Amino acid sequence: MIGPTSVLLLRRLPVLWRENVSFEVSLEELAGSLGLGRSTGRNGSLQRTLDRLVRFRFAAVEGLGDLAVFSEAPPVPAHQLDRLPVWCQTRHVQLLGTHLDGLAQLHAAPVSPTSLAARLDRLSRPSPTGRPVPSLHR
C-alpha cells in the first residue's frame, strides 16, 4: 500500500535513530541515501514518499520541516483489507489478534515494576520459535 520507497525509508529510520530519537537530516541527503537523486521539489519522489507515509498514517507533520514517524503500524482499514490477497488478510488478522491478546494480558492483572521490567526484557529478545515477537522501537 505504501510502496517500496516508503518501506525503505521506514527501514532506514532505526539506523538514523541510533544516536538520538530526534534528528535532523537534509532532504537532499535523505533522498540521495534512498536512491532518489537529490531532487526535493514539491512533486519529487521524496516528497511523494513522505506524503504517502502521512496519508497512510505511518507519520504526521508536526510543524514546518518536522515529521513525526510512528513506531507501530496501524491496522489496515477494512475497505483496504478486502483488496489484499487472502494470505495477506489472514496474516493481518493473526498479527492483530496477537497484538490485541497481548494488550488484554497486560491489562488483566496489576503489574508490578519488576514484572513490567521482565516483560519488556522478554519483548526485546528474539523469539526462540522463530516467529516474530513485538518489539520496542523509539
Side-chain angles (χ1 to χ4, degrees):
M1 292 172 44
I2 59 173
T5 306
S6 297
V7 171
L8 179 61
L9 176 57
L10 290 173
R11 292 185 67 160
R12 174 73 46 86
L13 292 174
V15 172
L16 298 171
W17 284 329
R18 282 187 184 146
E19 295 298 319
N20 197 350
V21 175
S22 179
F23 63 90
E24 287 186 32
V25 62
S26 76
L27 292 178
E28 292 85 10
E29 285 181 59
L30 185 59
S33 75
L34 296 172
L36 301 176
R38 301 270 182 204
S39 174
T40 59
R42 197 171 66 136
N43 296 315
S45 296
L46 180 62
Q47 189 59 50
R48 286 193 311 268
T49 298
L50 296 173
D51 290 344
R52 198 169 291 117
L53 290 179
V54 171
R55 185 174 345 118
F56 287 102
R57 301 180 325 213
F58 285 89
V61 176
E62 289 201 330
L64 187 59
D66 291 335
L67 184 71
V69 178
F70 305 124
S71 60
E72 295 180 356
V76 176
H79 71 279
Q80 291 175 338
L81 189 61
D82 292 339
R83 298 179 192 167
L84 297 175
V86 174
W87 67 267
C88 195
Q89 292 177 25
T90 302
R91 186 69 178 137
H92 179 270
V93 169
Q94 289 170 345
L95 290 171
L96 185 57
T98 300
H99 175 70
L100 293 175
D101 289 346
L103 288 176
Q105 288 176 359
L106 282 174
H107 294 290
V111 179
S112 70
T114 306
S115 174
L116 181 58
R119 286 182 186 176
L120 290 174
D121 183 50
R122 189 180 76 245
L123 288 174
S124 66
R125 284 183 271 138
S127 168
T129 64
R131 293 185 309 187
V133 291
S135 59
L136 304 174
H137 299 281
R138 293 182 202 184

